[in-house]
Amino acid sequence: LTLAFSTCTKRGAVKKDTLNNLESNGECVVNIISEWFVESANFCSGDFPDDVDEFEVAGLTKLSSDVVRPPRVKEAAVQLECKLKHKYEIVNDKDEHTATMCVVEVVKSHVKKELYDPEKGVVKFEGYRPISRLGGTTYGKVGDTFSLPRPEKDEFR
């Protein structure tokens, strides 16, 4: 499984901790935010000095990872241990570095037991309540979901 995400720079083209950490050790954990801990997760987006442990100030719990060195967030329903495969610097029309797109390989995934359907091999959406960070201070909730069967190739003839 491959994931891609981007991290913007701070004012003055300064890299954020997420990118600095990923570049320094080539590993990360993608912890999917759910509604029940969005405030704590948002607290981690503060502009803290490098020596501040954001887990501690946000009241989140560290869990050791199985494959990578960075810790997981215990409160997250889905935790993806990842290794960096590629990164691409994004520049604006003034050739200023404004963001970096990171492509990572998931090497181990963790899903809270009560949210995993072993028969289907999927995360149960009910109870998961994922949140997306849309940029700046804006977040989004995933609303209703539905299934839509994929067309069969013989339907095109």
Side-chain angles (χ1 to χ4, degrees):
L1 177 63
T2 301
L3 297 177
F5 62 89
S6 66
T7 176
C8 295
T9 57
K10 298 179 190 178
R11 284 183 174 73
V14 176
K15 294 176 184 177
K16 293 184 180 178
D17 291 346
T18 298
L19 182 58
N20 283 330
N21 293 336
L22 185 56
E23 287 179 334
S24 71
N25 65 33
E27 301 174 336
C28 68
V29 177
V30 176
N31 297 284
I32 308 298
I33 301 171
S34 290
E35 289 179 30
W36 58 82
F37 75 103
V38 68
E39 290 85 5
S40 294
N42 179 62
F43 201 80
C44 292
S45 69
D47 192 12
F48 298 104
D50 291 341
D51 62 340
V52 172
D53 184 335
E54 294 174 13
F55 274 88
E56 189 175 311
V57 296
L60 296 171
T61 311
K62 289 182 187 180
L63 280 179
S64 295
S65 295
D66 294 341
V67 179
V68 300
R69 287 167 286 184
R72 298 178 285 138
V73 174
K74 180 180 180 181
E75 291 77 8
V78 176
Q79 309 145 356
L80 306 171
E81 298 185 37
C82 303
K83 294 193 177 196
L84 180 64
K85 299 310 273 179
H86 305 283
K87 65 183 178 102
Y88 305 96
E89 289 193 353
I90 311 297
V91 296
N92 63 14
D93 57 356
K94 297 176 187 171
D95 205 34
E96 299 167 326
H97 175 216
T98 58
T100 302
M101 183 177 75
C102 302
V103 179
V104 297
E105 176 188 6
V106 177
V107 294
K108 177 91 184 232
S109 60
H110 306 268
V111 178
K112 288 200 180 290
K113 188 176 183 176
E114 63 271 16
L115 296 178
Y116 183 69
D117 182 339
E119 289 181 20
K120 294 181 181 177
V122 298
V123 176
K124 296 183 228 174
F125 190 76
E126 309 77 34
Y128 179 25
R129 301 191 325 265
I131 295 288
S132 60
R133 181 151 184 221
L134 300 174
T137 60
T138 305
Y139 289 80
K141 291 181 182 182
V142 178
D144 295 330
T145 63
F146 60 93
S147 294
L148 190 60
R150 295 181 181 154
E152 298 292 330
K153 63 182 174 184
D154 59 337
E155 291 179 38
F156 297 105
R157 295 180 187 179

